[in-house]
Amino acid sequence: MVERPEERPPLSRERVLRGAVAVADAGGIGALTMRSLARELGVKPMSLYYYVAGKAEILDGIVDLVFSEIDLPSPGDDWESQMRRRADSARRTLRRHPWAIGLMESRANPGPATLRHHESTLATLRRAGFSVAMTAHAYALLDSYIYGFALQEAALPFNPQTATEATEAITERFAGEYPYLVEMATKHILRPGYDFGDEFEIGLTVILDALTGSIPGDGSQPQP
């Protein structure tokens, strides 16, 4: 909703970026243009250029805002719990901002929140005892899982409330032809309280358990 003139705070870079996030949250990243952003803020498009050079700078800024919403892992604390906290926070953040999934690692000019996030994650893994190479592998594996799950979750054609109706329709249509699909639907998806999001913690646990075996020695010192 566009604010009335008497309600608008002064225009600033922060307000421009927050407005851009609001536009993207409402209509996807494709809906974000200088004109749509100006409408959101109740200003003329040209006034935006005093605070940002153009859309590329806006994308840099809003990706940094998204990173700022993700909990930072704490280097030196238990690395598994910190990676789990980070992963859970990232998933919640990307559920609020699904348009950001494909942009998180795409910016050539990362902002301060982005850099802090990467530094804290790398420091947590290194201080846990992972070698430089395994730190890179672990980081890539975790992010691939987090972003991939968030993308899949955002693309689902149903939510927990409508899963039963959608799955029952599929079961009726393909009964007898695809027995394992029917089995999955009737014995897993249609069980009371099923939520696809619950799969996230199971997969994350498998990954973290596997990574634990990659720490040499007792994991008390970073490896070269």
Side-chain angles (χ1 to χ4, degrees):
M1 179 183 295
V2 176
E3 299 161 327
R4 292 178 296 183
E6 63 271 16
E7 296 175 337
R8 295 180 198 140
L11 201 60
S12 65
R13 178 181 170 81
E14 174 77 9
R15 184 168 169 242
V16 168
L17 295 179
R18 294 290 179 188
V21 169
V23 172
D25 285 349
I29 202 65
L32 178 59
T33 65
M34 300 303 278
R35 287 187 178 277
S36 65
L37 177 54
R39 285 196 300 270
E40 171 71 20
L41 297 172
V43 300
K44 295 182 181 298
M46 287 305 297
S47 64
L48 301 175
Y49 291 96
Y50 183 82
Y51 302 96
V52 291
K55 187 172 180 178
E57 187 173 334
I58 290 174
L59 292 178
D60 289 341
I62 62 176
V63 166
D64 203 52
L65 283 178
V66 173
F67 266 111
S68 74
E69 296 182 20
I70 301 174
D71 292 343
L72 287 176
S74 178
D77 290 342
D78 176 66
W79 76 272
E80 285 190 68
S81 64
Q82 292 304 306
M83 289 300 101
R84 187 178 297 279
R85 185 168 69 92
R86 169 186 176 266
D88 289 339
S89 178
R91 178 183 166 229
R92 290 194 303 272
T93 298
L94 293 174
R95 289 180 75 175
R96 293 193 297 272
H97 312 296
W99 53 267
I101 297 170
L103 295 175
M104 295 293 281
E105 305 298 336
S106 71
R107 311 313 301 164
N109 298 297
T114 305
L115 295 173
R116 282 193 300 271
H117 182 93
H118 290 325
E119 178 69 11
S120 294
T121 303
L122 291 171
T124 300
L125 293 170
R126 287 290 283 137
R127 292 185 190 181
F130 288 100
S131 67
V132 172
M134 274 309 303
T135 293
H137 301 332
Y139 204 162
L141 177 59
L142 286 164
D143 275 6
S144 295
Y145 178 69
I146 294 165
Y147 295 151
F149 193 94
L151 183 63
Q152 187 176 12
E153 195 169 28
L156 287 175
F158 51 80
N159 55 44
Q161 288 70 42
T162 60
T164 298
E165 179 180 344
T167 307
E168 286 177 343
I170 293 173
T171 300
E172 291 175 5
R173 181 178 177 185
F174 296 113
E177 188 174 1
Y178 299 103
Y180 290 106
L181 280 174
V182 173
E183 178 186 56
M184 180 60 63
T186 56
K187 295 187 177 181
H188 186 67
I189 297 174
L190 289 177
R191 77 178 191 269
Y194 172 81
D195 184 347
F196 174 76
D198 294 339
E199 308 291 352
F200 183 76
E201 293 296 331
I202 297 172
L204 183 60
T205 297
V206 170
I207 292 172
L208 293 174
D209 286 349
L211 287 173
T212 299
S214 300
I215 303 177
D218 61 4
S220 60
Q221 295 294 329
Q223 301 297 311

PDB file of all heavy atoms in Angstrom, residues 73-96:
ATOM      1  N   PRO A  73      26.337 -17.641  12.325  1.00  0.00           N
ATOM      2  CA  PRO A  73      26.919 -18.669  13.183  1.00  0.00           C
ATOM      3  C   PRO A  73      27.994 -18.055  14.067  1.00  0.00           C
ATOM      4  O   PRO A  73      28.594 -17.040  13.715  1.00  0.00           O
ATOM      5  CB  PRO A  73      27.520 -19.667  12.186  1.00  0.00           C
ATOM      6  CG  PRO A  73      27.761 -18.879  10.950  1.00  0.00           C
ATOM      7  CD  PRO A  73      26.684 -17.823  10.913  1.00  0.00           C
ATOM      8  N   SER A  74      28.224 -18.665  15.210  1.00  0.00           N
ATOM      9  CA  SER A  74      29.196 -18.143  16.170  1.00  0.00           C
ATOM     10  C   SER A  74      30.453 -19.011  16.148  1.00  0.00           C
ATOM     11  O   SER A  74      30.439 -20.139  16.643  1.00  0.00           O
ATOM     12  CB  SER A  74      28.588 -18.137  17.576  1.00  0.00           C
ATOM     13  OG  SER A  74      29.519 -17.670  18.523  1.00  0.00           O
ATOM     14  N   PRO A  75      31.559 -18.520  15.553  1.00  0.00           N
ATOM     15  CA  PRO A  75      32.791 -19.308  15.512  1.00  0.00           C
ATOM     16  C   PRO A  75      33.270 -19.663  16.919  1.00  0.00           C
ATOM     17  O   PRO A  75      33.225 -18.843  17.831  1.00  0.00           O
ATOM     18  CB  PRO A  75      33.779 -18.363  14.821  1.00  0.00           C
ATOM     19  CG  PRO A  75      32.934 -17.414  14.046  1.00  0.00           C
ATOM     20  CD  PRO A  75      31.694 -17.223  14.878  1.00  0.00           C
ATOM     21  N   GLY A  76      33.705 -20.886  17.087  1.00  0.00           N
ATOM     22  CA  GLY A  76      34.187 -21.332  18.387  1.00  0.00           C
ATOM     23  C   GLY A  76      33.162 -22.125  19.160  1.00  0.00           C
ATOM     24  O   GLY A  76      33.513 -22.916  20.033  1.00  0.00           O
ATOM     25  N   ASP A  77      31.864 -21.921  18.858  1.00  0.00           N
ATOM     26  CA  ASP A  77      30.827 -22.727  19.487  1.00  0.00           C
ATOM     27  C   ASP A  77      30.681 -24.049  18.720  1.00  0.00           C
ATOM     28  O   ASP A  77      31.308 -24.242  17.676  1.00  0.00           O
ATOM     29  CB  ASP A  77      29.498 -21.978  19.513  1.00  0.00           C
ATOM     30  CG  ASP A  77      29.519 -20.798  20.472  1.00  0.00           C
ATOM     31  OD1 ASP A  77      30.416 -20.778  21.343  1.00  0.00           O
ATOM     32  OD2 ASP A  77      28.672 -19.905  20.345  1.00  0.00           O
ATOM     33  N   ASP A  78      29.860 -24.943  19.226  1.00  0.00           N
ATOM     34  CA  ASP A  78      29.649 -26.223  18.560  1.00  0.00           C
ATOM     35  C   ASP A  78      29.232 -26.003  17.108  1.00  0.00           C
ATOM     36  O   ASP A  78      28.179 -25.410  16.840  1.00  0.00           O
ATOM     37  CB  ASP A  78      28.573 -27.020  19.297  1.00  0.00           C
ATOM     38  CG  ASP A  78      28.240 -28.311  18.589  1.00  0.00           C
ATOM     39  OD1 ASP A  78      29.117 -29.190  18.533  1.00  0.00           O
ATOM     40  OD2 ASP A  78      27.117 -28.416  18.074  1.00  0.00           O
ATOM     41  N   TRP A  79      30.062 -26.466  16.185  1.00  0.00           N
ATOM     42  CA  TRP A  79      29.847 -26.139  14.780  1.00  0.00           C
ATOM     43  C   TRP A  79      28.553 -26.732  14.234  1.00  0.00           C
ATOM     44  O   TRP A  79      27.866 -26.087  13.423  1.00  0.00           O
ATOM     45  CB  TRP A  79      31.038 -26.592  13.934  1.00  0.00           C
ATOM     46  CG  TRP A  79      31.088 -28.072  13.677  1.00  0.00           C
ATOM     47  CD1 TRP A  79      31.666 -29.025  14.454  1.00  0.00           C
ATOM     48  CD2 TRP A  79      30.499 -28.757  12.566  1.00  0.00           C
ATOM     49  NE1 TRP A  79      31.495 -30.273  13.909  1.00  0.00           N
ATOM     50  CE2 TRP A  79      30.782 -30.139  12.739  1.00  0.00           C
ATOM     51  CE3 TRP A  79      29.782 -28.361  11.444  1.00  0.00           C
ATOM     52  CZ2 TRP A  79      30.362 -31.107  11.844  1.00  0.00           C
ATOM     53  CZ3 TRP A  79      29.352 -29.331  10.545  1.00  0.00           C
ATOM     54  CH2 TRP A  79      29.638 -30.687  10.748  1.00  0.00           C
ATOM     55  N   GLU A  80      28.186 -27.932  14.675  1.00  0.00           N
ATOM     56  CA  GLU A  80      26.968 -28.544  14.153  1.00  0.00           C
ATOM     57  C   GLU A  80      25.733 -27.735  14.545  1.00  0.00           C
ATOM     58  O   GLU A  80      24.854 -27.483  13.717  1.00  0.00           O
ATOM     59  CB  GLU A  80      26.837 -29.975  14.650  1.00  0.00           C
ATOM     60  CG  GLU A  80      27.762 -30.966  13.985  1.00  0.00           C
ATOM     61  CD  GLU A  80      27.411 -32.395  14.351  1.00  0.00           C
ATOM     62  OE1 GLU A  80      26.334 -32.865  13.919  1.00  0.00           O
ATOM     63  OE2 GLU A  80      28.195 -33.028  15.073  1.00  0.00           O
ATOM     64  N   SER A  81      25.654 -27.341  15.799  1.00  0.00           N
ATOM     65  CA  SER A  81      24.495 -26.564  16.237  1.00  0.00           C
ATOM     66  C   SER A  81      24.465 -25.209  15.542  1.00  0.00           C
ATOM     67  O   SER A  81      23.391 -24.697  15.205  1.00  0.00           O
ATOM     68  CB  SER A  81      24.507 -26.386  17.757  1.00  0.00           C
ATOM     69  OG  SER A  81      25.631 -25.634  18.174  1.00  0.00           O
ATOM     70  N   GLN A  82      25.644 -24.632  15.291  1.00  0.00           N
ATOM     71  CA  GLN A  82      25.697 -23.340  14.617  1.00  0.00           C
ATOM     72  C   GLN A  82      25.293 -23.456  13.149  1.00  0.00           C
ATOM     73  O   GLN A  82      24.588 -22.599  12.612  1.00  0.00           O
ATOM     74  CB  GLN A  82      27.103 -22.747  14.734  1.00  0.00           C
ATOM     75  CG  GLN A  82      27.495 -22.345  16.144  1.00  0.00           C
ATOM     76  CD  GLN A  82      26.513 -21.365  16.741  1.00  0.00           C
ATOM     77  OE1 GLN A  82      26.228 -20.325  16.162  1.00  0.00           O
ATOM     78  NE2 GLN A  82      25.976 -21.700  17.909  1.00  0.00           N
ATOM     79  N   MET A  83      25.718 -24.518  12.483  1.00  0.00           N
ATOM     80  CA  MET A  83      25.327 -24.720  11.090  1.00  0.00           C
ATOM     81  C   MET A  83      23.842 -25.046  10.991  1.00  0.00           C
ATOM     82  O   MET A  83      23.163 -24.628  10.049  1.00  0.00           O
ATOM     83  CB  MET A  83      26.160 -25.838  10.466  1.00  0.00           C
ATOM     84  CG  MET A  83      27.617 -25.479  10.218  1.00  0.00           C
ATOM     85  SD  MET A  83      27.870 -24.072   9.093  1.00  0.00           S
ATOM     86  CE  MET A  83      28.204 -22.762  10.280  1.00  0.00           C
ATOM     87  N   ARG A  84      23.322 -25.768  11.978  1.00  0.00           N
ATOM     88  CA  ARG A  84      21.890 -26.052  11.985  1.00  0.00           C
ATOM     89  C   ARG A  84      21.094 -24.764  12.201  1.00  0.00           C
ATOM     90  O   ARG A  84      20.073 -24.524  11.537  1.00  0.00           O
ATOM     91  CB  ARG A  84      21.558 -27.082  13.069  1.00  0.00           C
ATOM     92  CG  ARG A  84      20.113 -27.560  13.040  1.00  0.00           C
ATOM     93  CD  ARG A  84      19.857 -28.609  14.112  1.00  0.00           C
ATOM     94  NE  ARG A  84      20.655 -29.806  13.909  1.00  0.00           N
ATOM     95  CZ  ARG A  84      20.321 -30.774  13.057  1.00  0.00           C
ATOM     96  NH1 ARG A  84      19.214 -30.675  12.342  1.00  0.00           N
ATOM     97  NH2 ARG A  84      21.084 -31.839  12.945  1.00  0.00           N
ATOM     98  N   ARG A  85      21.550 -23.933  13.140  1.00  0.00           N
ATOM     99  CA  ARG A  85      20.855 -22.664  13.404  1.00  0.00           C
ATOM    100  C   ARG A  85      20.881 -21.778  12.164  1.00  0.00           C
ATOM    101  O   ARG A  85      19.877 -21.159  11.797  1.00  0.00           O
ATOM    102  CB  ARG A  85      21.513 -21.952  14.580  1.00  0.00           C
ATOM    103  CG  ARG A  85      20.813 -20.676  15.020  1.00  0.00           C
ATOM    104  CD  ARG A  85      21.356 -20.195  16.355  1.00  0.00           C
ATOM    105  NE  ARG A  85      22.723 -19.721  16.231  1.00  0.00           N
ATOM    106  CZ  ARG A  85      23.047 -18.436  15.987  1.00  0.00           C
ATOM    107  NH1 ARG A  85      22.100 -17.533  15.837  1.00  0.00           N
ATOM    108  NH2 ARG A  85      24.304 -18.077  15.898  1.00  0.00           N
ATOM    109  N   ARG A  86      22.028 -21.715  11.520  1.00  0.00           N
ATOM    110  CA  ARG A  86      22.153 -20.916  10.295  1.00  0.00           C
ATOM    111  C   ARG A  86      21.230 -21.448   9.204  1.00  0.00           C
ATOM    112  O   ARG A  86      20.536 -20.675   8.526  1.00  0.00           O
ATOM    113  CB  ARG A  86      23.601 -20.939   9.814  1.00  0.00           C
ATOM    114  CG  ARG A  86      23.814 -20.369   8.422  1.00  0.00           C
ATOM    115  CD  ARG A  86      25.259 -20.561   7.970  1.00  0.00           C
ATOM    116  NE  ARG A  86      25.432 -20.089   6.606  1.00  0.00           N
ATOM    117  CZ  ARG A  86      25.351 -20.864   5.514  1.00  0.00           C
ATOM    118  NH1 ARG A  86      25.097 -22.170   5.645  1.00  0.00           N
ATOM    119  NH2 ARG A  86      25.534 -20.346   4.313  1.00  0.00           N
ATOM    120  N   ALA A  87      21.214 -22.769   9.016  1.00  0.00           N
ATOM    121  CA  ALA A  87      20.396 -23.363   7.966  1.00  0.00           C
ATOM    122  C   ALA A  87      18.910 -23.122   8.222  1.00  0.00           C
ATOM    123  O   ALA A  87      18.159 -22.766   7.303  1.00  0.00           O
ATOM    124  CB  ALA A  87      20.683 -24.868   7.867  1.00  0.00           C
ATOM    125  N   ASP A  88      18.468 -23.324   9.456  1.00  0.00           N
ATOM    126  CA  ASP A  88      17.060 -23.088   9.788  1.00  0.00           C
ATOM    127  C   ASP A  88      16.678 -21.633   9.570  1.00  0.00           C
ATOM    128  O   ASP A  88      15.596 -21.322   9.051  1.00  0.00           O
ATOM    129  CB  ASP A  88      16.791 -23.490  11.243  1.00  0.00           C
ATOM    130  CG  ASP A  88      16.825 -24.993  11.462  1.00  0.00           C
ATOM    131  OD1 ASP A  88      16.663 -25.737  10.477  1.00  0.00           O
ATOM    132  OD2 ASP A  88      17.018 -25.421  12.614  1.00  0.00           O
ATOM    133  N   SER A  89      17.568 -20.725   9.968  1.00  0.00           N
ATOM    134  CA  SER A  89      17.301 -19.301   9.794  1.00  0.00           C
ATOM    135  C   SER A  89      17.259 -18.931   8.316  1.00  0.00           C
ATOM    136  O   SER A  89      16.394 -18.154   7.877  1.00  0.00           O
ATOM    137  CB  SER A  89      18.374 -18.482  10.514  1.00  0.00           C
ATOM    138  OG  SER A  89      18.166 -17.102  10.322  1.00  0.00           O
ATOM    139  N   ALA A  90      18.184 -19.489   7.529  1.00  0.00           N
ATOM    140  CA  ALA A  90      18.201 -19.198   6.091  1.00  0.00           C
ATOM    141  C   ALA A  90      16.922 -19.690   5.423  1.00  0.00           C
ATOM    142  O   ALA A  90      16.341 -18.994   4.578  1.00  0.00           O
ATOM    143  CB  ALA A  90      19.421 -19.846   5.448  1.00  0.00           C
ATOM    144  N   ARG A  91      16.476 -20.871   5.807  1.00  0.00           N
ATOM    145  CA  ARG A  91      15.247 -21.393   5.211  1.00  0.00           C
ATOM    146  C   ARG A  91      14.050 -20.506   5.554  1.00  0.00           C
ATOM    147  O   ARG A  91      13.217 -20.194   4.693  1.00  0.00           O
ATOM    148  CB  ARG A  91      14.998 -22.822   5.697  1.00  0.00           C
ATOM    149  CG  ARG A  91      13.702 -23.401   5.156  1.00  0.00           C
ATOM    150  CD  ARG A  91      13.443 -24.782   5.709  1.00  0.00           C
ATOM    151  NE  ARG A  91      12.061 -25.166   5.434  1.00  0.00           N
ATOM    152  CZ  ARG A  91      11.223 -25.650   6.321  1.00  0.00           C
ATOM    153  NH1 ARG A  91      11.604 -25.841   7.578  1.00  0.00           N
ATOM    154  NH2 ARG A  91       9.991 -25.961   5.990  1.00  0.00           N
ATOM    155  N   ARG A  92      13.947 -20.092   6.811  1.00  0.00           N
ATOM    156  CA  ARG A  92      12.834 -19.207   7.192  1.00  0.00           C
ATOM    157  C   ARG A  92      12.906 -17.890   6.429  1.00  0.00           C
ATOM    158  O   ARG A  92      11.884 -17.359   5.970  1.00  0.00           O
ATOM    159  CB  ARG A  92      12.875 -18.937   8.698  1.00  0.00           C
ATOM    160  CG  ARG A  92      12.517 -20.135   9.557  1.00  0.00           C
ATOM    161  CD  ARG A  92      12.241 -19.705  10.992  1.00  0.00           C
ATOM    162  NE  ARG A  92      13.375 -18.988  11.585  1.00  0.00           N
ATOM    163  CZ  ARG A  92      14.377 -19.566  12.223  1.00  0.00           C
ATOM    164  NH1 ARG A  92      14.401 -20.893  12.353  1.00  0.00           N
ATOM    165  NH2 ARG A  92      15.350 -18.855  12.750  1.00  0.00           N
ATOM    166  N   THR A  93      14.114 -17.360   6.280  1.00  0.00           N
ATOM    167  CA  THR A  93      14.285 -16.091   5.576  1.00  0.00           C
ATOM    168  C   THR A  93      13.887 -16.222   4.110  1.00  0.00           C
ATOM    169  O   THR A  93      13.207 -15.348   3.557  1.00  0.00           O
ATOM    170  CB  THR A  93      15.753 -15.626   5.680  1.00  0.00           C
ATOM    171  OG1 THR A  93      16.081 -15.423   7.061  1.00  0.00           O
ATOM    172  CG2 THR A  93      15.978 -14.328   4.919  1.00  0.00           C
ATOM    173  N   LEU A  94      14.278 -17.310   3.478  1.00  0.00           N
ATOM    174  CA  LEU A  94      13.950 -17.499   2.071  1.00  0.00           C
ATOM    175  C   LEU A  94      12.479 -17.822   1.862  1.00  0.00           C
ATOM    176  O   LEU A  94      11.944 -17.591   0.776  1.00  0.00           O
ATOM    177  CB  LEU A  94      14.837 -18.592   1.477  1.00  0.00           C
ATOM    178  CG  LEU A  94      16.320 -18.211   1.399  1.00  0.00           C
ATOM    179  CD1 LEU A  94      17.166 -19.403   0.941  1.00  0.00           C
ATOM    180  CD2 LEU A  94      16.543 -17.019   0.471  1.00  0.00           C
ATOM    181  N   ARG A  95      11.814 -18.320   2.881  1.00  0.00           N
ATOM    182  CA  ARG A  95      10.359 -18.477   2.778  1.00  0.00           C
ATOM    183  C   ARG A  95       9.680 -17.115   2.769  1.00  0.00           C
ATOM    184  O   ARG A  95       8.640 -16.929   2.127  1.00  0.00           O
ATOM    185  CB  ARG A  95       9.833 -19.326   3.931  1.00  0.00           C
ATOM    186  CG  ARG A  95      10.223 -20.796   3.832  1.00  0.00           C
ATOM    187  CD  ARG A  95       9.688 -21.618   4.981  1.00  0.00           C
ATOM    188  NE  ARG A  95       8.269 -21.878   4.846  1.00  0.00           N
ATOM    189  CZ  ARG A  95       7.575 -22.656   5.676  1.00  0.00           C
ATOM    190  NH1 ARG A  95       8.187 -23.239   6.696  1.00  0.00           N
ATOM    191  NH2 ARG A  95       6.291 -22.842   5.502  1.00  0.00           N
ATOM    192  N   ARG A  96      10.262 -16.150   3.495  1.00  0.00           N
ATOM    193  CA  ARG A  96       9.712 -14.783   3.471  1.00  0.00           C
ATOM    194  C   ARG A  96      10.040 -14.078   2.163  1.00  0.00           C
ATOM    195  O   ARG A  96       9.270 -13.230   1.692  1.00  0.00           O
ATOM    196  CB  ARG A  96      10.281 -13.967   4.639  1.00  0.00           C
ATOM    197  CG  ARG A  96       9.831 -14.423   6.005  1.00  0.00           C
ATOM    198  CD  ARG A  96      10.167 -13.392   7.072  1.00  0.00           C
ATOM    199  NE  ARG A  96      11.603 -13.168   7.224  1.00  0.00           N
ATOM    200  CZ  ARG A  96      12.391 -13.865   8.035  1.00  0.00           C
ATOM    201  NH1 ARG A  96      11.876 -14.856   8.759  1.00  0.00           N
ATOM    202  NH2 ARG A  96      13.676 -13.584   8.138  1.00  0.00           N
TER     203      ARG A  96
END
